[in-house]
Amino acid sequence: MKSIFTLMIAAVLITACGNSEQTYKQPELINNNELTDIQWIDSTRDLGKVNEGQMVEVVFRFKNTGKKPLVIRGVHPGCGCTVANPPAEPIAPGAEGEIKATFNSKGRPGINHKEIDVDANTNGTQNHKVSFNVEVIPQTQQQ
C-alpha cells in the first residue's frame, strides 16, 4: 500500500513538473477578410548605454500598408523587466502607429537583448518580433 501511494505521488510530480515551459497559443482570427499588412519602421532598436536603475523607454513604429484597419491584439515581452503597451485603437490603412515599451535596468548589468512578441491581424503571419539592445553600466562603475 505504501509503495502504491509513493508511485502515485511520483507520477503526479513528474506530470506536473514535466511541462514547465509556458506555451503561448496565438488567438484565432475570426475572419480572414479582416487581415491587412504591416511595415515595420523600427523593428530593432539600439539604445546604447544606460546606468543601472534607469527606466528606459523604447518605441517601435510601424505602418499599416494594407486595406483594412490594423489591430495589434497583444504584445508579450520576453521577461518581466520589460513592459509593453499596444496602441489603444486600430490603425487605419496608410496610417502609422507605435508600440511603447519600458525596460527596467535595475539588476540587469551588462549587454541586454530583449524581444517582444506582437500579435496583429496581418497577412502571412500574425506573430511578429521586435527587439532592442541596451548596455547597462553597473552601479559600481558609475561616476
Side-chain angles (χ1 to χ4, degrees):
M1 182 74 157
K2 192 175 187 181
S3 62
I4 292 174
F5 181 72
T6 304
L7 287 174
M8 287 175 47
I9 294 294
V12 168
L13 288 175
I14 290 171
T15 304
C17 298
N19 189 8
S20 62
E21 284 187 33
Q22 290 183 345
T23 56
Y24 170 72
K25 185 176 183 213
Q26 183 173 337
E28 296 291 324
L29 284 176
I30 296 171
N31 185 347
N32 284 344
N33 293 330
E34 296 176 5
L35 297 179
T36 191
D37 296 299
I38 190 169
Q39 175 188 3
W40 289 98
I41 299 167
D42 304 310
S43 63
T44 304
R45 303 292 311 269
D46 184 359
L47 305 179
K49 295 180 182 184
V50 300
N51 291 326
E52 183 178 1
Q54 272 186 273
M55 299 292 280
V56 184
E57 300 217 0
V58 59
V59 176
F60 299 98
R61 298 178 304 148
F62 57 88
K63 182 175 183 176
N64 180 353
T65 57
K67 296 180 181 180
K68 302 286 183 180
L70 174 62
V71 179
I72 304 296
R73 296 177 295 156
V75 290
H76 312 281
C79 78
C81 63
T82 304
V83 176
N85 297 306
E89 299 293 326
I91 307 302
E96 293 185 6
E98 298 178 336
I99 294 172
K100 297 179 180 180
T102 304
F103 169 70
N104 183 354
S105 66
K106 184 177 181 181
R108 305 271 177 199
I111 296 173
N112 288 265
H113 174 80
K114 300 298 176 186
E115 293 183 341
I116 300 170
D117 288 327
V118 179
D119 295 326
N121 65 322
T122 50
N123 287 305
T125 182
Q126 287 83 52
N127 187 268
H128 305 267
K129 284 194 185 296
V130 295
S131 64
F132 65 91
N133 296 307
V134 61
E135 183 176 352
V136 178
I137 307 302
Q139 289 180 342
T140 57
Q141 296 178 6
Q142 295 175 21
Q143 297 177 350

